[in-house]
Amino acid sequence: MPTALAHRSHLVLDSPVGPLTLVATGGALSGLYMEHQAYRPAEEVFGRPAADPGTAPFGAAAEQLAAYFKGRLTSFDLPLLLHGTPFQRRVWAALRRIPYGGTVTYGRLAALIGSPTASRAVGLANGRNPIGVIVPCHRVVGSSGGLIGYGGGLDRKRFLLDHEYGTLAGSAAAVEPEGLCLSW
C-alpha cells in the first residue's frame, strides 16, 4: 500500500440515502461518499477497512450522522481534512456556513467568497466536495431556486433538503436568511 494510503481507512454506513462510505486519514474525516456518486474515488483510495468502527473519527461521525437523519442534529462537529485547491477549500468552507435548512445559489455563493463572476467555478468545486452531507453541498441551488448539479443525484439532494425543511417545519429557513453574512 502506498505511504499516503497507509494512514487511511474507511467504514461503510447505512443511511436513508443509501450506503455512505466514510474515509479517515489519521484521526480526521477526509471523505464521505454516496454509492454511485459523481467524482467518487476508486475504492483502493479509501485505504483499509476500519478495524474498529468506534475509533476516531468513525464513532463520532456515525453518531452525528444518525442524529442528523433523525432530525436531532443541525450542525456537525467533526475533525475534517479536506484535500483540494485553495479555491475549492474556500468554497467548501463557505458551504459549511450555509444554515441547516437554508439554500444559497451558486452565484450568491461566488459573491460571498469574493469571486462574484465565478459561479461556474463554484459549481465545479461544489461537485468535487469530498465530504458530502457534512459539508452541505446539497444546499446550493440554481439561480431560479431549482435543484441542479448534485453529485449524489437529484433524488438524494431533494431528500436531504426535504429532510432539513421538514425538521425545521414552520420556520423561515427554506431560503438564505436575510442578512446572511459569510465572513473569512
Side-chain angles (χ1 to χ4, degrees):
M1 180 180 304
T3 358
L5 296 181
H7 300 290
R8 275 201 193 147
S9 57
H10 71 277
L11 176 72
V12 178
L13 298 175
D14 289 326
S15 83
V17 293
L20 300 176
T21 301
L22 280 64
V23 180
T25 304
L29 192 65
S30 57
L32 186 156
Y33 300 99
M34 297 176 182
E35 192 173 50
H36 308 296
Q37 176 177 329
Y39 306 114
R40 179 184 167 108
E43 298 291 323
E44 57 268 12
V45 175
F46 296 156
R48 68 189 184 290
D52 178 0
T55 60
F58 297 123
E63 286 177 21
Q64 289 184 36
L65 284 163
Y68 168 83
F69 284 116
K70 289 178 184 173
R72 296 183 188 144
L73 183 83
T74 59
S75 66
F76 293 90
D77 183 22
L78 296 165
L80 303 179
L81 182 60
L82 293 152
H83 296 286
T85 68
F87 182 80
Q88 287 173 327
R89 289 193 311 266
R90 267 188 24 228
V91 170
W92 301 334
L95 293 174
R96 296 187 69 204
R97 291 179 175 88
I98 303 169
Y100 180 91
T103 59
V104 66
T105 65
Y106 291 96
R108 177 77 173 124
L109 190 58
L112 289 167
I113 65 166
S115 300
T117 60
S119 60
R120 182 170 289 201
V122 163
L124 292 172
N126 199 49
R128 295 284 185 170
N129 172 19
I131 305 179
V133 182
I134 293 169
V135 176
C137 53
H138 61 276
R139 296 179 188 156
V140 184
V141 297
S143 59
S144 67
L147 301 188
I148 60 170
Y150 187 61
L154 292 182
D155 55 335
R156 289 181 177 139
K157 183 172 189 164
R158 168 56 59 205
F159 176 90
L160 293 168
L161 290 173
D162 286 349
H163 166 70
E164 292 182 9
Y165 297 159
T167 299
L168 295 175
S171 73
V175 294
E176 179 183 334
E178 197 64 36
L180 173 66
C181 178
L182 305 181
S183 58
W184 288 264

